[in-house]
Amino acid sequence: MFPTKGTAKDVHTPRICDVVWHNGEFIAWNDARVHVMSHVLHYGSSVFEGIRCYATKRGPAVFRLREHMQRFLNSAKIYRMDHDWKIDDLIDGSVELVRRSGLEQCYIRPILFRSLDEERPAFGVNPFPNPLACYIGAWDWGKYLGDEAIEKGVDVCVSTWNRLTPNSMPAMAKSGANYMNSQLIKMEALLNGYSEGIALDDRGYVSEGSGENIFVISNGVVNTPPLSSSILAGITRDSVIEICQELGITIKERSIQRAALYIADEVFFSGTAAEITPVRSVDKIPIGNGGRGELTEKIQKVFFEITSGERPAPGPWLTYVREQDARAADRESARATENGRGAAVKKSADSQTTPTMETELVARAAR
């Protein structure tokens, strides 16, 4: 669990979907290219999402797709990225992408960024002259912090890098620029022999990992930092909160001191990529029994039962790809049938037009 260097690939990627959704159309993966002078490459002007699709007995199911796409649109709004794409366009595009991929499970990545108008290029910091481009890709992705991490936990450190201050970069937006901060946290952790780093906010309170929210359990109470601690409002984080409420586990959003990590009974990460991953040590101090704790395991078990479709979710959390396709086909069939009926009625009406009626219609038109 202690990597010797940070240059290894973090997650094995066995298969990539060979098509990409681009501005409402599907193109080949190899054709999804960006000009090197695009605004996003020079100034980090992008927002994105990470969404998991799980294998279930009812086929592939995307986890909390609508909530992810709403956050995607919120991020774009914060950065004044005005566009015409609707949430249902993005949802339908994601579902169709998974269907075309043939993957039973995958990771979905929507991204919206400022590109380049090659006929009227603009190279300054001002983003407004640059056109927007939207893509959605998908690939089969394993456990972000390692396959055995889900059961055995990971060893982490408190980073020397702080999270962004609330009025410098908006942590509520999932933007590419924010993840330069995440990279500093992640690289430092890996090069010092840890799997992940925990960042503090500008006041010195616990914020989150480089790409995960954090939960700290003490005396049977599950605690998590509030939004004011410069955290991303995680969809998986929200899912954990709802699961705890359903299970009758006390959960509180409150500021957490660094020292509270060391004396906690249990600590775990949550996130789309990390899912629910226990933390077994912080700064080489064992947490609880030095492995996955009892409450973490209980929450984790319910989470995976929901994502596999074996347990009802607190809300409509799963979008079943094949059933979505079936409903879309039914709607299309119904429209075709209705259109057919309309054409038949019109034809019937036309055939019943008598010479007298025709004469009257011509007369009316003349008037």
Side-chain angles (χ1 to χ4, degrees):
M1 295 303 291
F2 289 93
T4 55
K5 53 186 177 181
T7 55
K9 192 166 76 169
D10 50 3
V11 183
H12 180 53
T13 308
R15 185 179 167 192
I16 295 172
C17 177
D18 61 2
V19 294
V20 172
W21 185 94
H22 172 228
N23 293 351
E25 298 180 352
F26 288 91
I27 63 173
W29 172 277
N30 290 336
D31 292 334
R33 294 288 183 261
V34 179
H35 196 286
V36 295
M37 298 309 293
S38 293
H39 194 271
V40 62
L41 294 180
H42 298 260
Y43 302 107
S45 47
S46 69
V47 297
F48 69 98
E49 271 301 320
I51 311 167
R52 273 198 188 268
C53 176
Y54 288 90
T56 77
K57 291 180 180 179
R58 292 163 61 181
V62 187
F63 184 66
R64 303 197 71 172
L65 178 55
R66 183 165 291 274
E67 291 91 335
H68 278 285
M69 286 306 184
Q70 185 58 62
R71 187 174 66 180
F72 183 59
L73 294 177
N74 291 347
S75 296
K77 186 175 183 180
I78 289 171
Y79 275 99
R80 302 177 187 271
M81 293 178 163
D82 298 327
H83 57 83
D84 295 327
W85 294 295
K86 308 299 182 186
I87 189 168
D88 287 332
D89 298 332
L90 300 169
I91 289 172
D92 292 345
S94 299
V95 169
E96 175 62 14
L97 182 68
V98 175
R99 188 192 68 77
R100 292 188 182 211
S101 76
L103 297 170
E104 290 298 310
Q105 62 182 24
C106 61
Y107 185 89
I108 303 167
R109 169 58 54 83
I111 183 168
L112 176 68
F113 59 87
R114 298 191 187 275
S115 187
L116 177 73
D117 183 340
E118 295 188 40
E119 293 183 1
R120 294 181 298 276
F123 304 114
V125 173
N126 174 17
F128 292 124
N130 299 279
L132 292 172
C134 189
Y135 289 82
I136 306 175
W139 58 88
D140 187 359
W141 218 18
K143 303 299 182 187
Y144 183 63
L145 294 174
D147 289 333
E148 65 177 23
I150 296 295
E151 180 180 348
K152 295 183 178 179
V154 291
D155 301 294
V156 308
C157 64
V158 175
S159 180
T160 62
W161 296 99
N162 284 2
R163 264 304 184 202
L164 305 160
T165 58
N167 210 35
S168 59
M169 297 283 282
M172 289 185 68
K174 193 174 176 72
S175 69
N178 285 4
Y179 279 76
M180 288 300 287
N181 177 247
S182 296
Q183 289 177 54
L184 291 170
I185 295 164
K186 185 74 173 182
M187 288 188 292
E188 179 185 54
L190 291 174
L191 293 174
N192 284 305
Y194 299 95
S195 295
E196 186 56 281
I198 297 173
L200 306 180
D201 65 20
D202 60 312
R203 302 166 301 157
Y205 289 102
V206 172
S207 180
E208 57 184 1
S210 69
E212 313 88 7
N213 293 118
I214 191 168
F215 291 82
V216 179
I217 303 174
S218 296
N219 300 318
V221 177
V222 180
N223 304 283
T224 192
L227 296 182
S228 58
S229 285
S230 293
I231 69 166
L232 180 70
I235 307 299
T236 308
R237 173 183 179 272
D238 178 72
S239 303
V240 169
I241 291 172
E242 292 202 43
I243 288 170
C244 286
Q245 291 170 343
E246 187 177 86
L247 295 176
I249 299 171
T250 302
I251 184 159
K252 296 181 178 180
E253 293 182 82
R254 60 187 181 191
S255 298
I256 299 171
Q257 293 186 29
R258 173 179 180 168
L261 296 170
Y262 304 140
I263 60 175
D265 298 322
E266 305 175 42
V267 176
F268 67 87
F269 285 130
S270 75
T272 296
E275 297 170 294
I276 296 179
T277 299
V279 172
R280 68 185 182 193
S281 73
V282 179
D283 292 338
K284 300 191 186 299
I285 299 175
I287 304 301
N289 60 10
R292 179 175 59 184
E294 184 179 338
L295 276 182
T296 300
E297 184 176 6
K298 188 175 182 179
I299 295 166
Q300 192 184 63
K301 180 174 182 292
V302 172
F303 176 79
F304 286 122
E305 285 175 350
I306 290 173
T307 56
S308 65
E310 298 171 9
R311 180 189 182 106
W317 288 3
L318 295 180
T319 300
Y320 290 94
V321 172
R322 290 171 189 158
E323 293 173 23
Q324 190 89 343
D325 286 345
R327 285 193 289 272
D330 289 342
R331 289 195 299 270
E332 188 63 32
S333 176
R335 281 196 293 269
T337 301
E338 191 61 33
N339 290 339
R341 285 174 183 163
V345 169
K346 183 178 185 301
K347 183 177 181 181
S348 175
D350 290 344
S351 67
Q352 294 174 20
T353 302
T354 64
T356 305
M357 291 171 64
E358 290 175 355
T359 303
E360 178 63 21
L361 289 172
V362 171
R364 287 178 185 172
R367 288 199 294 270

